Amino acid sequence: SRIDASTFCRRGVFLGSIAPASGGNQLARFLAVKPTTDRTFASDESVVAAMRVYQMKQPLQPVTVHATILDARDKVVFDNSQRLETGPFTSEGSADYRMTLPLAQLGTGAFLLRLEASRSGAPAVRREVRFSIQ
């Protein structure tokens, strides 16, 4: 069943490695992420965070996804925003978001990835996942 909210992320965030994609469309690229339950990675791995963003109210509006990574001392070590325009949203109001984690730039230790989706006139929705780098 659908939750009556302006913007939300169903089921949260998943992490995965990039698998070879066949085809060049957006769905093929999104599905090219091979999910993993691992949360410890090497700094030279290519790891992607992905989630599906939903808009329940019409008309569709652009959604901003703000990604931050915090270290074990709650210091922001990565900060990025991406605007999802209305074009990628399906007629049912969903769009896929993904980002490559900058593992090589972070060093070793424990981290928290925080993704926050927001649109005009609606409260932001936050999803978080912990991971570590060896």
Side-chain angles (χ1 to χ4, degrees), residues 41-47 100-107 131-133:
F41 306 102
S43 62
D44 63 349
E45 285 186 71
S46 182
V47 178
T100 302
L101 297 180
L103 301 182
Q105 300 171 13
L106 300 176
F131 67 95
S132 60
I133 303 172

Side-chain angles (χ1 to χ4, degrees), residues 30-123:
F30 186 75
L31 294 176
V33 176
K34 184 175 166 185
T36 182
T37 57
D38 292 341
R39 293 298 179 258
T40 302
F41 306 102
S43 62
D44 63 349
E45 285 186 71
S46 182
V47 178
V48 172
M51 70 179 178
R52 184 157 285 162
V53 177
Y54 293 87
Q55 294 191 62
M56 307 314 286
K57 292 186 178 178
Q58 299 293 330
L60 295 175
Q61 294 181 11
V63 172
T64 299
V65 179
H66 185 197
T68 41
I69 298 176
L70 296 98
D71 66 13
R73 292 173 288 187
D74 287 332
K75 178 184 173 196
V76 174
V77 293
F78 177 82
D79 191 334
N80 180 280
S81 290
Q82 180 179 340
R83 185 176 162 115
L84 299 176
E85 297 297 337
T86 58
F89 282 88
T90 66
S91 60
E92 294 179 349
S94 69
D96 295 326
Y97 166 85
R98 73 179 235 182
M99 67 169 278
T100 302
L101 297 180
L103 301 182
Q105 300 171 13
L106 300 176
T108 60
F111 298 91
L112 175 71
L113 169 64
R114 179 176 293 149
L115 297 174
E116 193 170 273
S118 62
R119 67 176 241 176
S120 179

